[in-house]
PDB file of all heavy atoms in Angstrom:
ATOM      1  N   ALA Z   9      -4.556 159.958  35.294  1.00 95.00           N
ATOM      2  CA  ALA Z   9      -3.973 159.254  34.149  1.00 95.00           C
ATOM      3  C   ALA Z   9      -2.996 158.221  34.696  1.00 95.00           C
ATOM      4  O   ALA Z   9      -2.796 158.121  35.910  1.00 95.00           O
ATOM      5  CB  ALA Z   9      -3.271 160.228  33.211  1.00 95.00           C
ATOM      6  N   ALA Z  10      -2.387 157.456  33.808  1.00 94.00           N
ATOM      7  CA  ALA Z  10      -1.410 156.449  34.223  1.00 94.00           C
ATOM      8  C   ALA Z  10      -0.221 156.492  33.278  1.00 94.00           C
ATOM      9  O   ALA Z  10      -0.383 156.664  32.064  1.00 94.00           O
ATOM     10  CB  ALA Z  10      -2.038 155.063  34.217  1.00 94.00           C
ATOM     11  N   LYS Z  11       0.967 156.385  33.844  1.00 94.00           N
ATOM     12  CA  LYS Z  11       2.166 156.294  33.014  1.00 94.00           C
ATOM     13  C   LYS Z  11       2.504 154.820  32.864  1.00 94.00           C
ATOM     14  O   LYS Z  11       2.815 154.142  33.844  1.00 94.00           O
ATOM     15  CB  LYS Z  11       3.325 157.062  33.651  1.00 94.00           C
ATOM     16  CG  LYS Z  11       4.539 157.168  32.737  1.00 94.00           C
ATOM     17  CD  LYS Z  11       5.683 157.929  33.383  1.00 94.00           C
ATOM     18  CE  LYS Z  11       5.494 159.410  33.296  1.00 94.00           C
ATOM     19  NZ  LYS Z  11       6.709 160.146  33.713  1.00 94.00           N
ATOM     20  N   VAL Z  12       2.407 154.326  31.641  1.00 93.00           N
ATOM     21  CA  VAL Z  12       2.617 152.904  31.341  1.00 93.00           C
ATOM     22  C   VAL Z  12       3.901 152.768  30.534  1.00 93.00           C
ATOM     23  O   VAL Z  12       3.995 153.270  29.410  1.00 93.00           O
ATOM     24  CB  VAL Z  12       1.417 152.323  30.561  1.00 93.00           C
ATOM     25  CG1 VAL Z  12       1.635 150.846  30.259  1.00 93.00           C
ATOM     26  CG2 VAL Z  12       0.122 152.525  31.345  1.00 93.00           C
ATOM     27  N   ASN Z  13       4.905 152.124  31.139  1.00 92.00           N
ATOM     28  CA  ASN Z  13       6.224 151.978  30.494  1.00 92.00           C
ATOM     29  C   ASN Z  13       6.745 153.333  30.000  1.00 92.00           C
ATOM     30  O   ASN Z  13       7.277 153.457  28.892  1.00 92.00           O
ATOM     31  CB  ASN Z  13       6.163 150.967  29.345  1.00 92.00           C
ATOM     32  CG  ASN Z  13       5.906 149.563  29.833  1.00 92.00           C
ATOM     33  OD1 ASN Z  13       6.296 149.191  30.946  1.00 92.00           O
ATOM     34  ND2 ASN Z  13       5.232 148.756  29.023  1.00 92.00           N
ATOM     35  N   GLY Z  14       6.549 154.359  30.841  1.00 87.00           N
ATOM     36  CA  GLY Z  14       7.083 155.684  30.540  1.00 87.00           C
ATOM     37  C   GLY Z  14       6.209 156.546  29.667  1.00 87.00           C
ATOM     38  O   GLY Z  14       6.523 157.714  29.428  1.00 87.00           O
ATOM     39  N   GLU Z  15       5.074 156.023  29.165  1.00 91.00           N
ATOM     40  CA  GLU Z  15       4.182 156.788  28.297  1.00 91.00           C
ATOM     41  C   GLU Z  15       2.879 157.068  29.035  1.00 91.00           C
ATOM     42  O   GLU Z  15       2.303 156.188  29.663  1.00 91.00           O
ATOM     43  CB  GLU Z  15       3.894 155.989  27.022  1.00 91.00           C
ATOM     44  CG  GLU Z  15       3.031 156.721  26.017  1.00 91.00           C
ATOM     45  CD  GLU Z  15       2.740 155.882  24.773  1.00 91.00           C
ATOM     46  OE1 GLU Z  15       3.356 154.811  24.625  1.00 91.00           O
ATOM     47  OE2 GLU Z  15       1.888 156.298  23.973  1.00 91.00           O
ATOM     48  N   THR Z  16       2.397 158.314  28.964  1.00 94.00           N
ATOM     49  CA  THR Z  16       1.170 158.680  29.673  1.00 94.00           C
ATOM     50  C   THR Z  16      -0.059 158.214  28.899  1.00 94.00           C
ATOM     51  O   THR Z  16      -0.209 158.521  27.712  1.00 94.00           O
ATOM     52  CB  THR Z  16       1.103 160.204  29.904  1.00 94.00           C
ATOM     53  OG1 THR Z  16       2.309 160.636  30.552  1.00 94.00           O
ATOM     54  CG2 THR Z  16      -0.071 160.560  30.799  1.00 94.00           C
ATOM     55  N   TRP Z  17      -0.921 157.455  29.591  1.00 95.00           N
ATOM     56  CA  TRP Z  17      -2.135 156.878  29.008  1.00 95.00           C
ATOM     57  C   TRP Z  17      -3.360 157.401  29.742  1.00 95.00           C
ATOM     58  O   TRP Z  17      -3.276 157.879  30.879  1.00 95.00           O
ATOM     59  CB  TRP Z  17      -2.125 155.351  29.154  1.00 95.00           C
ATOM     60  CG  TRP Z  17      -1.255 154.602  28.202  1.00 95.00           C
ATOM     61  CD1 TRP Z  17      -0.191 155.069  27.493  1.00 95.00           C
ATOM     62  CD2 TRP Z  17      -1.372 153.209  27.874  1.00 95.00           C
ATOM     63  NE1 TRP Z  17       0.373 154.057  26.759  1.00 95.00           N
ATOM     64  CE2 TRP Z  17      -0.337 152.903  26.969  1.00 95.00           C
ATOM     65  CE3 TRP Z  17      -2.239 152.184  28.268  1.00 95.00           C
ATOM     66  CZ2 TRP Z  17      -0.157 151.622  26.432  1.00 95.00           C
ATOM     67  CZ3 TRP Z  17      -2.060 150.919  27.741  1.00 95.00           C
ATOM     68  CH2 TRP Z  17      -1.034 150.636  26.830  1.00 95.00           C
ATOM     69  N   ASP Z  18      -4.538 157.211  29.084  1.00 95.00           N
ATOM     70  CA  ASP Z  18      -5.795 157.393  29.803  1.00 95.00           C
ATOM     71  C   ASP Z  18      -5.832 156.429  30.983  1.00 95.00           C
ATOM     72  O   ASP Z  18      -5.382 155.272  30.877  1.00 95.00           O
ATOM     73  CB  ASP Z  18      -6.991 157.072  28.895  1.00 95.00           C
ATOM     74  CG  ASP Z  18      -6.999 157.889  27.616  1.00 95.00           C
ATOM     75  OD1 ASP Z  18      -6.664 159.074  27.684  1.00 95.00           O
ATOM     76  OD2 ASP Z  18      -7.328 157.325  26.550  1.00 95.00           O
ATOM     77  N   ALA Z  19      -6.400 156.869  32.081  1.00 94.00           N
ATOM     78  CA  ALA Z  19      -6.465 156.023  33.277  1.00 94.00           C
ATOM     79  C   ALA Z  19      -7.311 154.778  33.052  1.00 94.00           C
ATOM     80  O   ALA Z  19      -7.113 153.751  33.711  1.00 94.00           O
ATOM     81  CB  ALA Z  19      -7.029 156.814  34.451  1.00 94.00           C
ATOM     82  N   ASN Z  20      -8.260 154.840  32.103  1.00 93.00           N
ATOM     83  CA  ASN Z  20      -9.126 153.678  31.862  1.00 93.00           C
ATOM     84  C   ASN Z  20      -8.759 152.888  30.607  1.00 93.00           C
ATOM     85  O   ASN Z  20      -9.525 152.051  30.136  1.00 93.00           O
ATOM     86  CB  ASN Z  20     -10.597 154.119  31.789  1.00 93.00           C
ATOM     87  CG  ASN Z  20     -10.808 155.265  30.810  1.00 93.00           C
ATOM     88  OD1 ASN Z  20      -9.951 155.527  29.966  1.00 93.00           O
ATOM     89  ND2 ASN Z  20     -11.931 155.950  30.941  1.00 93.00           N
ATOM     90  N   ARG Z  21      -7.561 153.142  30.056  1.00 94.00           N
ATOM     91  CA  ARG Z  21      -7.132 152.399  28.864  1.00 94.00           C
ATOM     92  C   ARG Z  21      -6.608 151.027  29.267  1.00 94.00           C
ATOM     93  O   ARG Z  21      -5.792 150.907  30.193  1.00 94.00           O
ATOM     94  CB  ARG Z  21      -6.050 153.194  28.135  1.00 94.00           C
ATOM     95  CG  ARG Z  21      -5.594 152.557  26.828  1.00 94.00           C
ATOM     96  CD  ARG Z  21      -4.643 153.493  26.098  1.00 94.00           C
ATOM     97  NE  ARG Z  21      -3.976 152.840  25.002  1.00 94.00           N
ATOM     98  CZ  ARG Z  21      -3.035 153.398  24.245  1.00 94.00           C
ATOM     99  NH1 ARG Z  21      -2.679 154.655  24.491  1.00 94.00           N
ATOM    100  NH2 ARG Z  21      -2.464 152.736  23.259  1.00 94.00           N
ATOM    101  N   PRO Z  22      -7.029 149.956  28.603  1.00 94.00           N
ATOM    102  CA  PRO Z  22      -6.614 148.594  28.987  1.00 94.00           C
ATOM    103  C   PRO Z  22      -5.122 148.357  28.766  1.00 94.00           C
ATOM    104  O   PRO Z  22      -4.549 148.796  27.765  1.00 94.00           O
ATOM    105  CB  PRO Z  22      -7.447 147.696  28.061  1.00 94.00           C
ATOM    106  CG  PRO Z  22      -8.571 148.546  27.581  1.00 94.00           C
ATOM    107  CD  PRO Z  22      -8.033 149.936  27.513  1.00 94.00           C
ATOM    108  N   ILE Z  23      -4.510 147.663  29.709  1.00 94.00           N
ATOM    109  CA  ILE Z  23      -3.090 147.280  29.622  1.00 94.00           C
ATOM    110  C   ILE Z  23      -3.053 145.784  29.322  1.00 94.00           C
ATOM    111  O   ILE Z  23      -3.594 144.970  30.080  1.00 94.00           O
ATOM    112  CB  ILE Z  23      -2.356 147.594  30.938  1.00 94.00           C
ATOM    113  CG1 ILE Z  23      -2.504 149.080  31.284  1.00 94.00           C
ATOM    114  CG2 ILE Z  23      -0.876 147.215  30.845  1.00 94.00           C
ATOM    115  CD1 ILE Z  23      -2.054 149.448  32.690  1.00 94.00           C
ATOM    116  N   GLN Z  24      -2.401 145.396  28.230  1.00 93.00           N
ATOM    117  CA  GLN Z  24      -2.478 144.009  27.771  1.00 93.00           C
ATOM    118  C   GLN Z  24      -1.230 143.187  28.062  1.00 93.00           C
ATOM    119  O   GLN Z  24      -1.248 141.964  27.922  1.00 93.00           O
ATOM    120  CB  GLN Z  24      -2.742 143.979  26.248  1.00 93.00           C
ATOM    121  CG  GLN Z  24      -3.996 144.727  25.803  1.00 93.00           C
ATOM    122  CD  GLN Z  24      -5.279 144.067  26.267  1.00 93.00           C
ATOM    123  OE1 GLN Z  24      -5.278 142.957  26.810  1.00 93.00           O
ATOM    124  NE2 GLN Z  24      -6.412 144.750  26.084  1.00 93.00           N
ATOM    125  N   THR Z  25      -0.127 143.830  28.435  1.00 93.00           N
ATOM    126  CA  THR Z  25       1.129 143.102  28.658  1.00 93.00           C
ATOM    127  C   THR Z  25       1.754 143.527  29.984  1.00 93.00           C
ATOM    128  O   THR Z  25       1.332 144.514  30.591  1.00 93.00           O
ATOM    129  CB  THR Z  25       2.128 143.397  27.521  1.00 93.00           C
ATOM    130  OG1 THR Z  25       2.418 144.804  27.507  1.00 93.00           O
ATOM    131  CG2 THR Z  25       1.566 142.981  26.164  1.00 93.00           C
ATOM    132  N   ASP Z  26       2.764 142.767  30.419  1.00 92.00           N
ATOM    133  CA  ASP Z  26       3.507 143.163  31.615  1.00 92.00           C
ATOM    134  C   ASP Z  26       3.985 144.612  31.444  1.00 92.00           C
ATOM    135  O   ASP Z  26       4.431 145.001  30.353  1.00 92.00           O
ATOM    136  CB  ASP Z  26       4.730 142.262  31.814  1.00 92.00           C
ATOM    137  CG  ASP Z  26       4.343 140.821  32.142  1.00 92.00           C
ATOM    138  OD1 ASP Z  26       3.156 140.583  32.418  1.00 92.00           O
ATOM    139  OD2 ASP Z  26       5.231 139.956  32.119  1.00 92.00           O
ATOM    140  N   ALA Z  27       3.914 145.397  32.514  1.00 93.00           N
ATOM    141  CA  ALA Z  27       4.254 146.819  32.374  1.00 93.00           C
ATOM    142  C   ALA Z  27       4.641 147.422  33.709  1.00 93.00           C
ATOM    143  O   ALA Z  27       4.237 146.949  34.771  1.00 93.00           O
ATOM    144  CB  ALA Z  27       3.066 147.583  31.783  1.00 93.00           C
ATOM    145  N   SER Z  28       5.442 148.500  33.621  1.00 93.00           N
ATOM    146  CA  SER Z  28       5.689 149.366  34.774  1.00 93.00           C
ATOM    147  C   SER Z  28       4.632 150.457  34.739  1.00 93.00           C
ATOM    148  O   SER Z  28       4.433 151.098  33.704  1.00 93.00           O
ATOM    149  CB  SER Z  28       7.085 149.986  34.700  1.00 93.00           C
ATOM    150  OG  SER Z  28       8.076 148.987  34.786  1.00 93.00           O
ATOM    151  N   VAL Z  29       3.972 150.679  35.862  1.00 93.00           N
ATOM    152  CA  VAL Z  29       2.843 151.617  35.890  1.00 93.00           C
ATOM    153  C   VAL Z  29       3.002 152.603  37.040  1.00 93.00           C
ATOM    154  O   VAL Z  29       3.280 152.208  38.172  1.00 93.00           O
ATOM    155  CB  VAL Z  29       1.499 150.869  36.027  1.00 93.00           C
ATOM    156  CG1 VAL Z  29       0.342 151.865  36.190  1.00 93.00           C
ATOM    157  CG2 VAL Z  29       1.251 149.974  34.808  1.00 93.00           C
ATOM    158  N   GLN Z  30       2.845 153.874  36.722  1.00 94.00           N
ATOM    159  CA  GLN Z  30       2.783 154.932  37.739  1.00 94.00           C
ATOM    160  C   GLN Z  30       1.424 155.594  37.631  1.00 94.00           C
ATOM    161  O   GLN Z  30       1.014 156.026  36.548  1.00 94.00           O
ATOM    162  CB  GLN Z  30       3.893 155.968  37.519  1.00 94.00           C
ATOM    163  CG  GLN Z  30       3.862 157.108  38.541  1.00 94.00           C
ATOM    164  CD  GLN Z  30       4.853 158.211  38.220  1.00 94.00           C
ATOM    165  OE1 GLN Z  30       5.668 158.086  37.303  1.00 94.00           O
ATOM    166  NE2 GLN Z  30       4.783 159.310  38.954  1.00 94.00           N
ATOM    167  N   LEU Z  31       0.703 155.674  38.735  1.00 95.00           N
ATOM    168  CA  LEU Z  31      -0.616 156.297  38.758  1.00 95.00           C
ATOM    169  C   LEU Z  31      -0.440 157.795  38.984  1.00 95.00           C
ATOM    170  O   LEU Z  31       0.213 158.215  39.938  1.00 95.00           O
ATOM    171  CB  LEU Z  31      -1.473 155.666  39.854  1.00 95.00           C
ATOM    172  CG  LEU Z  31      -1.668 154.149  39.689  1.00 95.00           C
ATOM    173  CD1 LEU Z  31      -2.298 153.549  40.930  1.00 95.00           C
ATOM    174  CD2 LEU Z  31      -2.509 153.844  38.453  1.00 95.00           C
ATOM    175  N   LEU Z  32      -1.004 158.592  38.092  1.00 95.00           N
ATOM    176  CA  LEU Z  32      -0.770 160.032  38.088  1.00 95.00           C
ATOM    177  C   LEU Z  32      -1.956 160.781  38.686  1.00 95.00           C
ATOM    178  O   LEU Z  32      -3.100 160.551  38.303  1.00 95.00           O
ATOM    179  CB  LEU Z  32      -0.528 160.515  36.656  1.00 95.00           C
ATOM    180  CG  LEU Z  32       0.654 159.854  35.923  1.00 95.00           C
ATOM    181  CD1 LEU Z  32       0.673 160.279  34.460  1.00 95.00           C
ATOM    182  CD2 LEU Z  32       1.973 160.201  36.598  1.00 95.00           C
ATOM    183  N   THR Z  33      -1.646 161.710  39.590  1.00 95.00           N
ATOM    184  CA  THR Z  33      -2.667 162.547  40.214  1.00 95.00           C
ATOM    185  C   THR Z  33      -2.342 164.010  39.952  1.00 95.00           C
ATOM    186  O   THR Z  33      -1.381 164.342  39.245  1.00 95.00           O
ATOM    187  CB  THR Z  33      -2.735 162.295  41.736  1.00 95.00           C
ATOM    188  OG1 THR Z  33      -1.540 162.807  42.342  1.00 95.00           O
ATOM    189  CG2 THR Z  33      -2.860 160.803  42.041  1.00 95.00           C
ATOM    190  N   TRP Z  34      -3.107 164.899  40.573  1.00 96.00           N
ATOM    191  CA  TRP Z  34      -2.872 166.333  40.443  1.00 96.00           C
ATOM    192  C   TRP Z  34      -1.486 166.732  40.932  1.00 96.00           C
ATOM    193  O   TRP Z  34      -0.930 167.748  40.515  1.00 96.00           O
ATOM    194  CB  TRP Z  34      -3.951 167.078  41.226  1.00 96.00           C
ATOM    195  CG  TRP Z  34      -3.842 168.560  41.180  1.00 96.00           C
ATOM    196  CD1 TRP Z  34      -3.455 169.393  42.188  1.00 96.00           C
ATOM    197  CD2 TRP Z  34      -4.133 169.421  40.069  1.00 96.00           C
ATOM    198  NE1 TRP Z  34      -3.478 170.708  41.781  1.00 96.00           N
ATOM    199  CE2 TRP Z  34      -3.892 170.758  40.485  1.00 96.00           C
ATOM    200  CE3 TRP Z  34      -4.569 169.188  38.759  1.00 96.00           C
ATOM    201  CZ2 TRP Z  34      -4.080 171.841  39.636  1.00 96.00           C
ATOM    202  CZ3 TRP Z  34      -4.747 170.281  37.917  1.00 96.00           C
ATOM    203  CH2 TRP Z  34      -4.504 171.585  38.352  1.00 96.00           C
ATOM    204  N   ASN Z  35      -0.880 165.923  41.782  1.00 93.00           N
ATOM    205  CA  ASN Z  35       0.442 166.234  42.324  1.00 93.00           C
ATOM    206  C   ASN Z  35       1.570 165.939  41.348  1.00 93.00           C
ATOM    207  O   ASN Z  35       2.722 166.265  41.622  1.00 93.00           O
ATOM    208  CB  ASN Z  35       0.673 165.463  43.626  1.00 93.00           C
ATOM    209  CG  ASN Z  35      -0.277 165.899  44.726  1.00 93.00           C
ATOM    210  OD1 ASN Z  35      -0.607 167.071  44.829  1.00 93.00           O
ATOM    211  ND2 ASN Z  35      -0.741 164.956  45.526  1.00 93.00           N
ATOM    212  N   ASP Z  36       1.269 165.295  40.224  1.00 93.00           N
ATOM    213  CA  ASP Z  36       2.275 164.959  39.218  1.00 93.00           C
ATOM    214  C   ASP Z  36       2.162 165.916  38.035  1.00 93.00           C
ATOM    215  O   ASP Z  36       1.059 166.278  37.609  1.00 93.00           O
ATOM    216  CB  ASP Z  36       2.082 163.524  38.722  1.00 93.00           C
ATOM    217  CG  ASP Z  36       2.201 162.514  39.849  1.00 93.00           C
ATOM    218  OD1 ASP Z  36       3.302 162.377  40.403  1.00 93.00           O
ATOM    219  OD2 ASP Z  36       1.181 161.867  40.178  1.00 93.00           O
ATOM    220  N   ALA Z  37       3.299 166.314  37.477  1.00 90.00           N
ATOM    221  CA  ALA Z  37       3.286 167.226  36.329  1.00 90.00           C
ATOM    222  C   ALA Z  37       2.489 166.635  35.170  1.00 90.00           C
ATOM    223  O   ALA Z  37       1.709 167.335  34.507  1.00 90.00           O
ATOM    224  CB  ALA Z  37       4.722 167.527  35.887  1.00 90.00           C
ATOM    225  N   GLU Z  38       2.659 165.326  34.927  1.00 94.00           N
ATOM    226  CA  GLU Z  38       1.928 164.687  33.830  1.00 94.00           C
ATOM    227  C   GLU Z  38       0.435 164.633  34.124  1.00 94.00           C
ATOM    228  O   GLU Z  38      -0.389 164.679  33.213  1.00 94.00           O
ATOM    229  CB  GLU Z  38       2.451 163.278  33.567  1.00 94.00           C
ATOM    230  CG  GLU Z  38       3.910 163.216  33.163  1.00 94.00           C
ATOM    231  CD  GLU Z  38       4.823 162.948  34.357  1.00 94.00           C
ATOM    232  OE1 GLU Z  38       4.446 163.325  35.505  1.00 94.00           O
ATOM    233  OE2 GLU Z  38       5.897 162.366  34.154  1.00 94.00           O
ATOM    234  N   GLY Z  39       0.081 164.539  35.412  1.00 95.00           N
ATOM    235  CA  GLY Z  39      -1.326 164.556  35.793  1.00 95.00           C
ATOM    236  C   GLY Z  39      -1.955 165.907  35.500  1.00 95.00           C
ATOM    237  O   GLY Z  39      -3.050 165.991  34.930  1.00 95.00           O
ATOM    238  N   LYS Z  40      -1.258 166.981  35.878  1.00 96.00           N
ATOM    239  CA  LYS Z  40      -1.757 168.329  35.579  1.00 96.00           C
ATOM    240  C   LYS Z  40      -1.865 168.539  34.074  1.00 96.00           C
ATOM    241  O   LYS Z  40      -2.840 169.130  33.581  1.00 96.00           O
ATOM    242  CB  LYS Z  40      -0.807 169.379  36.171  1.00 96.00           C
ATOM    243  CG  LYS Z  40      -0.914 169.584  37.676  1.00 96.00           C
ATOM    244  CD  LYS Z  40      -0.076 170.790  38.088  1.00 96.00           C
ATOM    245  CE  LYS Z  40      -0.253 171.135  39.567  1.00 96.00           C
ATOM    246  NZ  LYS Z  40       0.468 170.226  40.446  1.00 96.00           N
ATOM    247  N   ASN Z  41      -0.853 168.092  33.338  1.00 96.00           N
ATOM    248  CA  ASN Z  41      -0.854 168.250  31.887  1.00 96.00           C
ATOM    249  C   ASN Z  41      -2.082 167.589  31.272  1.00 96.00           C
ATOM    250  O   ASN Z  41      -2.749 168.162  30.402  1.00 96.00           O
ATOM    251  CB  ASN Z  41       0.445 167.648  31.316  1.00 96.00           C
ATOM    252  CG  ASN Z  41       0.594 167.923  29.841  1.00 96.00           C
ATOM    253  OD1 ASN Z  41       0.003 167.248  29.013  1.00 96.00           O
ATOM    254  ND2 ASN Z  41       1.408 168.900  29.502  1.00 96.00           N
ATOM    255  N   THR Z  42      -2.402 166.366  31.730  1.00 96.00           N
ATOM    256  CA  THR Z  42      -3.574 165.650  31.221  1.00 96.00           C
ATOM    257  C   THR Z  42      -4.857 166.394  31.591  1.00 96.00           C
ATOM    258  O   THR Z  42      -5.777 166.527  30.781  1.00 96.00           O
ATOM    259  CB  THR Z  42      -3.605 164.224  31.792  1.00 96.00           C
ATOM    260  OG1 THR Z  42      -2.369 163.560  31.483  1.00 96.00           O
ATOM    261  CG2 THR Z  42      -4.756 163.417  31.211  1.00 96.00           C
ATOM    262  N   PHE Z  43      -4.920 166.882  32.818  1.00 97.00           N
ATOM    263  CA  PHE Z  43      -6.086 167.618  33.309  1.00 97.00           C
ATOM    264  C   PHE Z  43      -6.337 168.848  32.437  1.00 97.00           C
ATOM    265  O   PHE Z  43      -7.471 169.131  32.033  1.00 97.00           O
ATOM    266  CB  PHE Z  43      -5.825 168.028  34.767  1.00 97.00           C
ATOM    267  CG  PHE Z  43      -6.999 168.622  35.485  1.00 97.00           C
ATOM    268  CD1 PHE Z  43      -7.830 167.832  36.261  1.00 97.00           C
ATOM    269  CD2 PHE Z  43      -7.260 169.982  35.414  1.00 97.00           C
ATOM    270  CE1 PHE Z  43      -8.910 168.388  36.950  1.00 97.00           C
ATOM    271  CE2 PHE Z  43      -8.319 170.544  36.097  1.00 97.00           C
ATOM    272  CZ  PHE Z  43      -9.150 169.738  36.863  1.00 97.00           C
ATOM    273  N   TRP Z  44      -5.275 169.588  32.130  1.00 97.00           N
ATOM    274  CA  TRP Z  44      -5.439 170.827  31.375  1.00 97.00           C
ATOM    275  C   TRP Z  44      -5.705 170.566  29.901  1.00 97.00           C
ATOM    276  O   TRP Z  44      -6.424 171.329  29.246  1.00 97.00           O
ATOM    277  CB  TRP Z  44      -4.227 171.723  31.593  1.00 97.00           C
ATOM    278  CG  TRP Z  44      -4.271 172.388  32.948  1.00 97.00           C
ATOM    279  CD1 TRP Z  44      -5.395 172.790  33.618  1.00 97.00           C
ATOM    280  CD2 TRP Z  44      -3.180 172.723  33.800  1.00 97.00           C
ATOM    281  NE1 TRP Z  44      -5.065 173.362  34.824  1.00 97.00           N
ATOM    282  CE2 TRP Z  44      -3.711 173.336  34.968  1.00 97.00           C
ATOM    283  CE3 TRP Z  44      -1.800 172.570  33.713  1.00 97.00           C
ATOM    284  CZ2 TRP Z  44      -2.920 173.794  36.020  1.00 97.00           C
ATOM    285  CZ3 TRP Z  44      -1.005 173.023  34.753  1.00 97.00           C
ATOM    286  CH2 TRP Z  44      -1.557 173.621  35.892  1.00 97.00           C
ATOM    287  N   HIS Z  45      -5.143 169.484  29.358  1.00 97.00           N
ATOM    288  CA  HIS Z  45      -5.472 169.149  27.971  1.00 97.00           C
ATOM    289  C   HIS Z  45      -6.946 168.769  27.860  1.00 97.00           C
ATOM    290  O   HIS Z  45      -7.645 169.179  26.917  1.00 97.00           O
ATOM    291  CB  HIS Z  45      -4.577 168.004  27.490  1.00 97.00           C
ATOM    292  CG  HIS Z  45      -4.809 167.630  26.054  1.00 97.00           C
ATOM    293  ND1 HIS Z  45      -4.929 168.554  25.052  1.00 97.00           N
ATOM    294  CD2 HIS Z  45      -4.963 166.418  25.455  1.00 97.00           C
ATOM    295  CE1 HIS Z  45      -5.130 167.947  23.899  1.00 97.00           C
ATOM    296  NE2 HIS Z  45      -5.168 166.650  24.125  1.00 97.00           N
ATOM    297  N   SER Z  46      -7.443 168.024  28.836  1.00 97.00           N
ATOM    298  CA  SER Z  46      -8.866 167.664  28.852  1.00 97.00           C
ATOM    299  C   SER Z  46      -9.728 168.910  29.010  1.00 97.00           C
ATOM    300  O   SER Z  46     -10.833 169.001  28.456  1.00 97.00           O
ATOM    301  CB  SER Z  46      -9.147 166.676  29.990  1.00 97.00           C
ATOM    302  OG  SER Z  46      -8.383 165.494  29.819  1.00 97.00           O
ATOM    303  N   SER Z  47      -9.235 169.883  29.758  1.00 97.00           N
ATOM    304  CA  SER Z  47      -9.975 171.136  29.949  1.00 97.00           C
ATOM    305  C   SER Z  47     -10.074 171.921  28.643  1.00 97.00           C
ATOM    306  O   SER Z  47     -11.075 172.614  28.395  1.00 97.00           O
ATOM    307  CB  SER Z  47      -9.296 171.986  31.022  1.00 97.00           C
ATOM    308  OG  SER Z  47      -9.262 171.298  32.259  1.00 97.00           O
ATOM    309  N   ALA Z  48      -9.037 171.836  27.809  1.00 97.00           N
ATOM    310  CA  ALA Z  48      -9.098 172.488  26.498  1.00 97.00           C
ATOM    311  C   ALA Z  48     -10.235 171.893  25.675  1.00 97.00           C
ATOM    312  O   ALA Z  48     -10.972 172.609  24.981  1.00 97.00           O
ATOM    313  CB  ALA Z  48      -7.764 172.341  25.769  1.00 97.00           C
TER     314      ALA Z  48
END
């Protein structure tokens, strides 16, 4: 997933404006959270 301006987004969601972006992996809490929500 990706954190865009502090909000967690789908990794493939288009970004239309200037933004701060953090790429989330299994090593990030938000990455695990997204993984497990998708697993549900």
Side-chain angles (χ1 to χ4, degrees):
K11 188 180 279 190
V12 180
N13 293 330
E15 183 181 351
T16 307
W17 283 21
D18 304 321
N20 52 17
R21 184 173 168 184
I23 303 169
Q24 303 292 352
T25 61
D26 293 349
S28 296
V29 175
Q30 179 187 353
L31 301 169
L32 302 172
T33 69
W34 180 252
N35 295 324
D36 300 294
E38 299 95 332
K40 284 189 174 76
N41 187 280
T42 304
F43 188 94
W44 284 327
H45 182 45
S46 300
S47 300

